[in-house]
Amino acid sequence: MNRSLRIAIADDESDMQEYYRTILPILGHVVVAVAETGQELVAKCREQHPDLVIADIKMPGIDGIDAAAQIYRDSPIPVILVSAYHNEDFIRRAEENHILCYLVKPIKQADLEPAIAIVMRRFEQFQALRKESADMKQALEDRKIIEKAKGLLMKKASLGEAEAFRRLQKLASEQNRKLVEIARMLLTAEEAFQQPEPRQRPV
């Protein structure tokens, strides 16, 4: 990948911190935050909003997996987790917390460079699917509202389906609003008219 990334790193070993500070600029990236604990990593990510996080799992306080989960809840950011050894429990927890890559030390440039490229590609694909899913859900909700408003017009104005839809489109065009906004306004007005009048107490 050619894009320069702003990267936050976390490791309680000074030699690993220095390694990242040296190797990441060689790969064309910028180290924007260095943390020694999970809590510090979470705080620095909130301040810096990095494009990528590279974190050791074993750190004082909360570990890298729990820190990654907190960071993801704040704002989805891709994370590469690093460990001194292969551990099935770590891998399971990592998968459950949206971790896209797991590397085992020692980390070589030949390992890190493709790992960063793969993680960013996976993250972009994941975000696109996430947005598509949200857009699809919203589109279905909007369609339900429009259909309901169309049915209301058909009933109240004795219109056919096509004519009722054209009436909605005309209103949306005249008021420079989205079709679903006009539909909501009609349904809200109908609900207001259906509200029972308060009973008057006898004098």
Side-chain angles (χ1 to χ4, degrees), residues 39-50:
Q39 291 95 330
E40 187 182 6
L41 175 62
V42 173
K44 290 196 172 183
C45 284
R46 286 172 179 162
E47 293 172 2
Q48 297 294 333
H49 305 288

Side-chain angles (χ1 to χ4, degrees), residues 54-91:
I54 302 175
D56 192 31
I57 292 180
K58 287 287 189 180
M59 290 186 291
I62 62 172
D63 65 20
I65 298 175
D66 288 338
Q70 286 190 34
I71 291 165
Y72 190 88
R73 283 195 293 270
D74 288 341
S75 176
I77 297 172
V79 176
I80 295 175
L81 279 182
V82 178
S83 177
Y85 51 91
H86 183 86
N87 182 295
E88 289 296 332
D89 183 56
F90 285 162
I91 293 174

Side-chain angles (χ1 to χ4, degrees), residues 141-154 156 168 171 179-195:
E141 290 299 318
D142 289 353
R143 182 178 176 82
K144 288 178 185 177
I145 292 168
I146 292 167
E147 288 296 318
K148 194 172 180 181
K150 185 174 69 176
L152 178 64
L153 272 179
M154 290 169 66
K156 295 291 185 181
L168 286 173
L171 286 168
L179 195 60
V180 70
E181 291 176 355
I182 294 296
R184 283 199 188 98
M185 289 168 62
L186 285 174
L187 294 173
T188 301
E190 172 66 8
E191 287 176 6
F193 282 119
Q194 288 181 352
Q195 291 293 327

